[in-house]
Amino acid sequence: MAADAGVIRFQRTSKRYHTPARGEVWALRDMDLVCEAGGLTCVVGPSGCGKTTLLRLAAGLEPTTDGRVAIDGRTVTAPPPGIGLVSQEGSLLPWRRVIDNVALGLEIQKVGRTERRTRAREAIRRVHLPPAVERSLPHELSGGMRQRVALARALCPGPRILLMDEPFAAVDEPTRHRLQDELVRLWQADGQTILFVTHNVEEAVYLADRLIVMTFSRTVADLPVPLARPRDRLDRVFVDTLLAVRRTFAEHVNGLSCDTTS
Amino acid sequence: MTVKRFLVRLALGAVPPIAILIVWHVASVGSVVVPSIPAVVEVLAHPFRAPPTLDATSLASGALVSILRVLAGFALAAATAVPIGLLVGRSRTAMDVLQPTMAAAMVISPIAWIPVAIIVFGLSSPATALFGDEAWRYGLLDRVRFAIVAVIWLGAFFPIALNAAAGARGVREAHIESARVLGAGRRQVLAKIILPGAAPAIVTGLRVGGGIAWRVIIAAEIFPGTRGGLGYMIATAHAQASYEYAFASIIVIGAIGLALDGLLHLAAVRVSRWQPKER
């Protein structure tokens, strides 16, 4: 277990769904992937290629059809302790104020009210939200602020692993860039293992130290991203890397349908 | 809202009651059936006085009996319908088993059950269950007849249960999953996600159920064999031609119904304040 602490391991992992319209659909097929402890792995691929399924299996929200997913060396059969999940917009509880949303994980762990408020305020501060928003309801915030709250909620209990499902897809570009910078800053400070799923190649290159290209429910490329940080989107090396990844992406993805029916 | 706008709305809202009073006054002149407004006001002004011309208790006592009956049936309905509704909303099997019956039962007027309830429960009450032949000594407790409570329960149960089911079904899976990933078990998901998420729909169901309960009680009390309550007072006043008591009872029924709905409306506003306003 100790050797595998913070490691996410997919071993010949497959997931098949049954849909009324198309029968059996493979969302993931024989996936082998090891996300090393403390790494920031981005999975990039077009819609429907199984990226979200990958995260849902790691989060223990769905069982595998074949193969295995392990976190900290233990097979995942239910949401494992010590993980945080940030998804696209809409996972905040709309009836809870920001501070109570952020403190949800601690409340579930039955942490006392004073301590959880203190820790929730610290998490709110870390994602650069003004203290005044703690009394706001989610619908009173902008999309970018809501995603910061979602990130604060995931970080608040101090997870070793963060699973992120296109968390910045619904925000405008300048906000997305700021959120990406903040994510990197928090990751460098805390050293969690991050598995980040996106369909945005530039985002993946900007964030990742390892990039997985997925299509047809499988991995088609596993690329290290050895760029120094902080990264500059206008820097020549960054642009060259981005172009190389785009080329790989285009070779495998463009013009192809991702869904695989049996 | 400005003061002027408030006054305009108040004045507009007062038009129908004033029109009704005028029609009432005109109809009462020279009539032996329609009582005069002052005669009804006289009854309303002395709510604790037993009617000298009627075999009934005072207006206040009648109102208290009706309220107690409604509260008993309504509380029972809420306590049973909310859990069953949540179960139907979250369990496919429970929905397949219960939903068709609930939808069918919903359209049967609860008043249709009154004779059945009287046959099943007779004149039994909490007092007869606890004290047997001495039940008559425990006036109010003896007036809360099981038959009437059962009919109120039937009337309020289905709207509450169906609304709770719809509310539970509408809770977003993303909310449940976010709690599960943070370590929530089934009970915590129920308490922290499903119940608050379904609360606006549950309160809507309580409001509809409360309105039905209050309407049903009057019908139930008009039936023979159910002594006490405002419905009983209307029936007795009609039988003994003391129409001012019937009219006064109707006004009290309206006032209590309005207060009940106002309370449930406040509850609805409170549990729904997190929902963004329509623009």
Side-chain angles (χ1 to χ4, degrees):
Chain A
M1 146 82 194
D4 259 353
V7 175
I8 311 169
R9 193 181 294 276
F10 296 86
Q11 289 176 313
R12 300 190 65 76
T13 309
S14 296
K15 179 67 185 178
R16 189 180 58 215
Y17 291 105
H18 181 81
T19 64
R22 293 181 298 155
E24 305 281 291
V25 175
W26 289 95
L28 212 60
R29 235 172 186 173
D30 294 331
M31 182 80 174
D32 280 311
L33 173 66
V34 179
C35 303
E36 298 297 345
L40 203 169
T41 307
C42 280
V43 177
V44 66
S47 300
C49 72
K51 307 186 298 290
T52 295
T53 301
L54 193 74
L55 280 194
R56 293 179 61 78
L57 296 178
L61 293 171
E62 293 189 36
T64 59
T65 305
D66 283 311
R68 162 179 190 256
V69 183
I71 280 183
D72 295 338
R74 292 195 195 95
T75 301
V76 173
T77 52
I83 64 164
L85 176 69
V86 186
S87 42
Q88 290 186 36
E89 271 214 82
S91 71
L92 294 179
L93 305 179
W95 56 87
R96 283 181 170 240
R97 298 191 182 280
V98 164
I99 191 159
D100 297 320
N101 257 297
V102 174
L104 179 66
L106 299 177
E107 194 180 319
I108 287 167
Q109 291 171 14
K110 299 188 164 56
V111 172
R113 183 183 158 87
T114 312
E115 186 187 337
R116 66 175 190 254
R117 292 238 148 191
T118 307
R119 287 172 61 183
R121 286 194 178 108
E122 171 62 12
I124 289 169
R125 189 192 60 75
R126 291 193 74 205
V127 297
H128 287 177
L129 279 168
V133 304
E134 71 171 53
R135 298 287 304 156
S136 302
L137 288 165
H139 78 263
E140 295 165 344
L141 306 177
S142 68
M145 288 172 109
R146 278 199 289 272
Q147 287 312 86
R148 282 174 205 263
V149 177
L151 184 58
R153 182 175 70 180
L155 291 173
C156 190
R160 293 183 311 281
I161 291 171
L162 265 186
L163 304 171
M164 308 189 79
D165 185 7
E166 308 210 33
F168 311 140
V171 295
D172 59 77
E173 190 169 312
T175 307
R176 186 162 63 243
H177 288 174
R178 274 201 299 278
L179 288 167
Q180 288 166 354
D181 286 337
E182 278 167 25
L183 176 65
V184 170
R185 177 179 55 79
L186 292 164
W187 167 67
Q188 286 177 325
D190 297 350
Q192 299 101 338
T193 310
I194 298 183
L195 180 55
F196 190 107
V197 152
T198 179
H199 64 266
N200 183 329
V201 179
E202 193 216 44
E203 179 170 67
V205 173
Y206 188 76
L207 292 175
D209 53 18
R210 180 180 174 204
L211 200 151
I212 309 291
V213 181
M214 264 187 84
T215 185
F216 279 128
S217 318
R218 290 190 172 95
T219 301
V220 290
D222 185 343
L223 311 166
V225 187
L227 296 174
R229 297 182 193 272
R231 293 176 181 173
D232 179 354
R233 291 181 186 82
L234 301 176
D235 179 76
R236 177 73 181 266
V237 182
F238 181 88
V239 174
D240 287 347
T241 309
L242 179 60
L243 285 174
V245 174
R246 278 199 200 285
R247 210 167 289 126
T248 307
F249 193 78
E251 280 168 18
H252 293 285
V253 175
N254 284 359
L256 299 175
S257 161
C258 270
D259 299 332
T260 318
T261 48
S262 61
Chain B
M1 193 189 307
T2 62
V3 174
K4 187 181 169 191
R5 175 82 191 123
F6 175 74
L7 290 175
V8 168
R9 284 184 64 179
L10 201 66
L12 289 174
V15 171
I18 290 169
I20 290 169
L21 286 174
I22 292 168
V23 172
W24 177 4
H25 174 70
V26 171
S28 70
V29 175
S31 170
V32 289
V33 177
V34 182
S36 69
I37 293 175
V40 175
V41 171
E42 171 68 15
V43 173
L44 289 171
H46 299 94
F48 298 103
R49 194 167 66 190
T53 55
L54 278 186
D55 176 23
T57 53
S58 68
L59 201 57
S61 160
L64 183 63
V65 167
S66 292
I67 289 170
L68 278 179
R69 287 167 171 170
V70 165
L71 283 182
F74 182 67
L76 204 61
T80 49
V82 171
I84 288 175
L86 294 177
L87 182 70
V88 169
R90 297 304 311 175
S91 154
R92 186 70 196 228
T93 310
M95 186 178 85
D96 289 344
V97 171
L98 294 173
Q99 180 97 358
T101 308
M102 281 165 58
M106 171 96 173
V107 298
I108 300 172
S109 168
I111 295 164
W113 295 106
I114 295 171
V116 181
I118 289 174
I119 291 166
V120 173
F121 292 103
L123 297 178
S124 62
S125 68
T128 59
L130 290 170
F131 308 111
D133 291 344
E134 298 291 305
W136 60 272
R137 291 179 186 276
Y138 303 89
L140 273 179
L141 211 54
D142 192 34
R143 291 277 174 263
V144 185
R145 300 271 157 89
F146 287 141
I148 298 178
V149 172
V151 171
I152 300 292
W153 174 78
L154 269 169
F157 179 89
F158 297 106
I160 299 173
L162 287 170
N163 273 281
R169 206 172 296 131
V171 173
R172 293 183 57 172
E173 215 53 43
H175 295 157
I176 293 172
E177 288 178 350
S178 63
R180 284 183 60 207
V181 168
L182 289 166
R186 291 166 77 95
R187 276 190 192 177
Q188 285 179 315
V189 166
L190 177 67
K192 296 185 191 303
I193 310 294
I194 294 174
L195 258 179
I202 292 172
V203 174
T204 301
L206 291 175
R207 206 173 161 191
V208 176
I212 291 176
W214 189 240
R215 281 184 210 109
V216 167
I217 185 72
I218 306 305
E221 288 171 348
I222 286 172
F223 262 71
T226 56
R227 285 182 65 86
L230 292 169
Y232 175 77
M233 179 166 265
I234 292 173
T236 313
H238 176 258
Q240 298 175 19
S242 291
Y243 298 113
E244 66 276 20
Y245 283 95
F247 271 62
S249 299
I250 289 168
I251 290 169
V252 172
I253 288 165
I256 294 173
L258 200 65
L260 178 72
D261 190 61
L263 280 177
L264 290 168
H265 173 70
L266 285 180
V269 169
R270 191 173 163 74
V271 299
S272 306
R273 63 184 166 193
W274 51 269
Q275 291 178 317
K277 303 267 183 301
E278 295 285 338
R279 294 206 176 111

